[in-house]
Amino acid sequence: MSMTGNTPRPSGWWYPYIFVAAFMVVVGVNGALAYFATSTFNGLETRNAYEKGRLYNQTLAEAEAQKALGWTVGLQAEQMTKDRPGDYPADLMISATGPDGEGLEGLEVFAEIRRPTQAGMDQEVRLTRRDTGRYGTKIVLPQPGQWEIRVLARKGDDTFRMYDRIFVK
């Protein structure tokens, strides 16, 4: 009896390779998703979220005290002409009126400018008095798009906080 080295393969010999390839695709996709889930924006906006949650009743009391002040604060941001490529200058201004409708004087006004989707671009600025009840400063943002503005206005023991968003083209 002679043996030949060329025996035909049985039909369906490649089926196991299909399963191996399919599992390799699943493992590869899961690995990519795990990488992006751990290396991109984590969605956490609040620093010390546990502490802020624990002090929620205090936050509610501060909100009621702010409402009782009767202050009205409005934010305006006007985009300015670029001085240099890559810079996005804007004039940030707030107007603050008291319960009597008159402009508030003697405020200390600070603003935190935050990029909601990207860390490392936040700025803190102080707004100076421009006119009766109007405070402002010029800012230079590193990128166009959406920016969150957190304003803190103080006069003595009275504090007013406000959050707003601006869009820079």
Side-chain angles (χ1 to χ4, degrees):
M1 184 161 179
S2 72
M3 292 191 67
T4 60
N6 293 338
T7 58
R9 291 184 174 162
S11 65
W13 64 269
W14 48 276
Y15 291 168
Y17 293 108
I18 291 174
F19 288 107
V20 169
F23 279 111
M24 287 176 60
V25 168
V26 168
V27 168
V29 168
N30 284 341
L33 291 174
Y35 168 75
F36 289 120
T38 59
S39 65
T40 58
F41 178 62
N42 63 10
L44 183 62
E45 179 192 345
T46 305
R47 294 184 196 110
N48 305 322
Y50 173 75
E51 286 298 316
K52 287 188 178 180
R54 200 173 61 75
L55 300 172
Y56 188 64
N57 287 336
Q58 179 182 342
T59 302
L60 290 176
E62 289 172 358
E64 286 299 318
Q66 177 172 310
K67 191 185 294 184
L69 290 174
W71 294 3
T72 303
V73 178
L75 173 73
Q76 298 142 352
E78 185 177 317
Q79 199 161 348
M80 299 167 47
T81 308
K82 287 184 178 188
D83 295 334
R84 293 179 293 174
D87 284 349
Y88 298 88
D91 187 25
L92 187 65
M93 189 163 45
I94 69 152
S95 57
T97 57
D100 57 0
E102 297 293 320
L104 290 171
E105 290 298 315
L107 292 179
E108 286 183 291
V109 183
F110 302 92
E112 183 180 355
I113 300 131
R114 301 182 68 202
R115 182 80 170 182
T117 59
Q118 206 167 2
M121 297 188 179
D122 301 349
Q123 302 178 33
E124 290 186 16
V125 295
R126 182 181 182 130
L127 284 72
T128 56
R129 183 183 183 279
R130 289 195 172 164
D131 198 1
T132 304
R134 296 175 70 84
Y135 301 82
T137 191
K138 295 188 184 338
I139 57 174
V140 177
L141 301 172
Q143 286 187 352
Q146 188 130 179
W147 291 86
E148 182 178 285
I149 311 296
R150 297 180 177 198
V151 175
L152 168 67
R154 279 192 303 233
K155 183 175 185 179
D157 291 336
D158 296 333
T159 302
F160 189 94
R161 294 179 192 277
M162 129 183 201
Y163 306 107
D164 204 351
R165 288 197 174 193
I166 61 170
F167 186 81
V168 177
K169 295 180 183 176

